[in-house]
Amino acid sequence: MADLSLPQAVTLPNYFSQDRLALPAQILNGEDMPSALTAALNSTLHRERWKYSKTAPVLEGLIRTMNLPTIIGGEQAGVQISQAPEQNVRFSFDLSQAPEAFARLCYAQEALFIHIEQTLKSPLEIHHAGSTVPILISLGTNAEATLLEHFAGNLQPQNTLWISLAERSHLKHSRNSLEAAELHWQYLCVDIGKNADYLLNNHAAGAGLRRQDIHIRLSGQGANAELISAAVISGKLALDQQITLEHLVANGKSKQVVHNIVADGGKCTFNGRIHIHEGANGTDATLANKNLGLGKNATINTKPELEIYTDDVTCAHGATIGQLSDQELFYLSSRGISPEAAQALLSEGFLRQCTQGPLAEAALPILINAIKQEHDA
Amino acid sequence: MSLLEVTNLHATVGAQDQQKAILKGLNISVNPGEVHAIMGPNGSGKSTLANVLSGRPGYTVTDGSMILANTNLADMEPHERAQLGLFLAFQYPVEIPGVSNMEFLKASVDSLARARGEEQPNTAAFIKKVRILAASVDLDPQFLKRGVNEGFSGGEKKRNEIMQLLLLEPKLAILDETDSGLDIDALQVVAEGVNRYKNSNNGVVLITHYQRLLDYIIPDFVHVLADGKIIQSGDKSLALELEDKGYAWLT
Ligand SMILES: Nc1ncnc2c1ncn2[C@@H]1O[C@H](COP(=O)(O)OP(=O)(O)OP(=O)(O)O)[C@@H](O)[C@H]1O
Ligand SMILES: [Mg+2]
């Protein structure tokens, strides 16, 4: 395989030199950026994560024009939006995890820094149309907020978001990625501080390829992360979800439930990696990925991975690929419900288990429709 | 004219190459207004009869016939049999997470109405009716919002089956051990539900191991099913005799 490379030389944005943001560990340790990025791009880990999606088109897209997203709720008390980071906000940039995301941050030069200092009355809503500038959201100590993201843009949009949660802050994050696109790449990295809470409700439909990279770091003791995700991939569309969740310190709790329906011709990849670091005692981590194949020629790759370097952990980790249950189908038909209607009820039920939060109501009909279209076709 | 006429029924279970004969020439005839109790040893084929009648996949009828309301069941799909008026209260009701009980009941009632060319009930009236029925079998209305049978206790599942029986008002109800695992109060609730359902036009087939249920739901006939056949039939006193002597004297 040919070596991967970035489309242009990378220079650090100005705001790093203002000494407000911590540089990636690799750079702090004296590595030069080009070689650190190239090494990361061509590492085994990286290749593994890009096994089912082509990397090159995403790399080429890194330098494409970006626009500003529309933000609703940005004027309310407690929100500051600026071009430079707040003092004392820690974002984590891990070159080895996602070199392309960091490269994009550099290419963009400008970014949108959103700091939430206190609990918000209304949700903060971000509407992305096409490729948007990198966004970095930080929550101050004790702040509570709801973040809603909507994605649109039918060509090759890219969206990158870093989130940093200070002690005891709470963020409820919902996002709907339901519109058609040729190639949609979404990168999300969340760093959860001490006793802070993060919840992500993720709803996705297939696209030419929709690639969701999610990196969640429980970096403060007692941090809590929950990821609930539902997707429907049908009719020659594809979804590639790459989720890395790291328990870096003790007493963190994480729960991930991912339900994907893959209907005729759809292709779905799920790679969920849980990494429990040394010293992360008392970790409680669960991940359940369930895939439902409907119709013919559904392609499903699922790979739950577990790396544990601590003894004192509770961990449940599982992936299933299946069809609708015969028992459930029979129960419904014994009550007069036709096989088609029973199938629809059961697949909707499968989705409904993971369609939650403020954007659920908007997402559910679209996802259900995505299943139906395939069956009517 | 009988409501259900099962004649010389032979049925096997299992995949094509390893079929096992379970029903071996079973006859039963249920007239409108009658309650038939079927008793018999574990593994004798009672649930198999219920499953074969309701069309559960995995069973093959190899001989004989099943006629419900003048209609041959053999070539009908399970949902069509239900639409014709057959109801099975499951020995082990199935849990369906994600599909709420209310949504399930509405889908069922709508399907039955559509199949019969009747008007689908108005949603508000429907919800009201279901809530009243739930309360009548001691199920909190909260249960209607939960997934079908999801996390219900054994007894709650059985009461949920009876609630469906009362809502769907089938022509023939087959209750497969609906009394098993019920406490004394719940047993009375279930029996009261069945008695409320019962009328001169419909029929009940009660599969049970305990004659106690028959103190509450008085059967017109009691049958003993053993090794895939009805080997003895009688009135309520047969159940008492079985309670006393077991099955050995018959087989
Ligand atoms: N899928 C199957 N494959 C093989 N054998 C089966 C299958 N299903 C049922 N059987 C067998 O058929 C026989 C009859 O089972 P059935 O469930 O009808 O008994 P039952 O009379 O209802 O018993 P119980 O009183 O315990 O409920 C049993 O021996 C059972 O093991
Ligand atoms: Mg049985």
Side-chain angles (χ1 to χ4, degrees), chain A residues 48-321:
Chain A
E48 194 56 37
R49 270 209 307 278
W50 286 86
K51 195 168 165 183
Y52 297 101
S53 301
K54 286 205 177 90
T55 328
V58 171
L59 295 179
E60 284 157 26
L62 296 175
I63 50 174
R64 212 167 285 130
T65 323
M66 306 173 193
N67 63 40
L68 287 170
T70 307
I71 297 181
I72 299 169
E75 309 80 18
Q76 63 185 309
V79 182
Q80 289 153 263
I81 303 181
S82 55
Q83 316 276 260
E86 274 294 299
Q87 213 114 30
N88 301 324
V89 171
R90 281 191 48 245
F91 287 98
S92 70
F93 303 106
D94 186 340
L95 293 195
S96 64
Q97 279 288 333
E100 56 283 318
F102 192 75
R104 188 168 190 272
L105 189 67
C106 295
Y107 291 136
Q109 288 295 313
E110 55 163 343
L112 213 50
F113 289 87
I114 303 178
H115 183 69
I116 298 171
E117 183 54 36
Q118 67 198 57
T119 298
L120 299 188
K121 284 216 172 70
S122 326
L124 187 72
E125 234 179 286
I126 303 182
H127 291 256
H128 301 266
S131 286
T132 45
V133 298
I135 302 176
L136 296 95
I137 297 179
S138 47
L139 261 70
T141 308
N142 290 322
E144 292 179 24
T146 298
L147 171 66
L148 310 178
E149 279 192 290
H150 304 261
F151 297 87
N154 57 7
L155 297 171
Q156 304 205 352
Q158 298 193 346
N159 311 100
T160 43
L161 170 63
W162 284 262
I163 294 175
S164 165
L165 303 180
E167 247 182 83
R168 295 186 305 278
S169 63
H170 296 257
L171 181 66
K172 289 198 164 103
H173 183 189
S174 288
R175 53 180 213 178
N176 281 359
S177 315
L178 303 167
E179 303 213 6
E182 274 173 26
L183 171 61
H184 183 195
W185 177 52
Q186 296 168 285
Y187 174 79
L188 167 65
C189 178
V190 187
D191 192 271
I192 312 174
K194 192 175 169 189
N195 295 325
D197 260 326
Y198 175 70
L199 166 65
L200 175 63
N201 288 118
N202 186 54
H203 309 125
L209 171 64
R210 176 162 280 128
R211 161 92 187 190
Q212 303 193 307
D213 285 86
I214 299 176
H215 183 191
I216 298 175
R217 296 163 42 92
L218 287 82
S219 64
Q221 289 217 3
N224 184 31
E226 196 172 336
L227 186 162
I228 309 291
S229 176
V232 175
I233 308 97
S234 55
K236 306 270 181 293
L237 299 179
L239 175 71
D240 184 349
Q241 295 177 312
Q242 299 285 326
I243 303 173
T244 301
L245 185 140
E246 290 185 88
H247 281 268
L248 294 127
V249 295
N251 301 323
K253 193 173 175 202
S254 65
K255 174 183 166 187
Q256 303 179 67
V257 189
V258 178
H259 281 193
N260 291 332
I261 291 186
V262 191
D264 320 62
K267 184 178 165 192
C268 179
T269 301
F270 174 85
N271 185 355
R273 183 164 155 258
I274 298 180
H275 184 157
I276 302 173
H277 290 253
E278 202 181 324
N281 299 314
T283 289
D284 180 352
T286 63
L287 183 157
N289 169 231
K290 289 191 186 170
N291 296 280
L292 183 60
L294 297 177
K296 290 192 188 106
N297 296 322
T299 307
I300 300 168
N301 304 302
T302 172
K303 186 168 131 190
E305 282 180 89
L306 205 48
E307 276 183 65
I308 307 184
Y309 300 97
T310 311
D311 290 333
D312 173 24
V313 298
T314 313
C315 198
H317 200 251
T320 58
I321 297 180

Side-chain angles (χ1 to χ4, degrees), chain B residues 13-14 20 22 40-48 59 91 177 209:
Chain B
V13 65
K20 186 178 165 199
I22 308 290
N42 293 130
S44 56
K46 301 181 298 298
S47 294
T48 302
Y59 298 86
Q91 182 170 0
E177 292 197 28
H209 285 295

Side-chain angles (χ1 to χ4, degrees), chain B residues 185-220:
Chain B
D185 293 340
L187 182 70
Q188 293 198 20
V189 168
V190 161
E192 189 280 323
V194 175
N195 286 327
R196 198 169 358 134
Y197 153 76
K198 225 176 66 177
N199 64 34
S200 58
N201 298 317
N202 61 31
V204 177
V205 175
L206 277 182
I207 296 171
T208 182
H209 285 295
Y210 307 106
Q211 96 76 33
R212 197 179 56 186
L213 177 71
L214 308 180
D215 286 340
Y216 300 106
I217 308 170
I218 314 295
D220 299 290

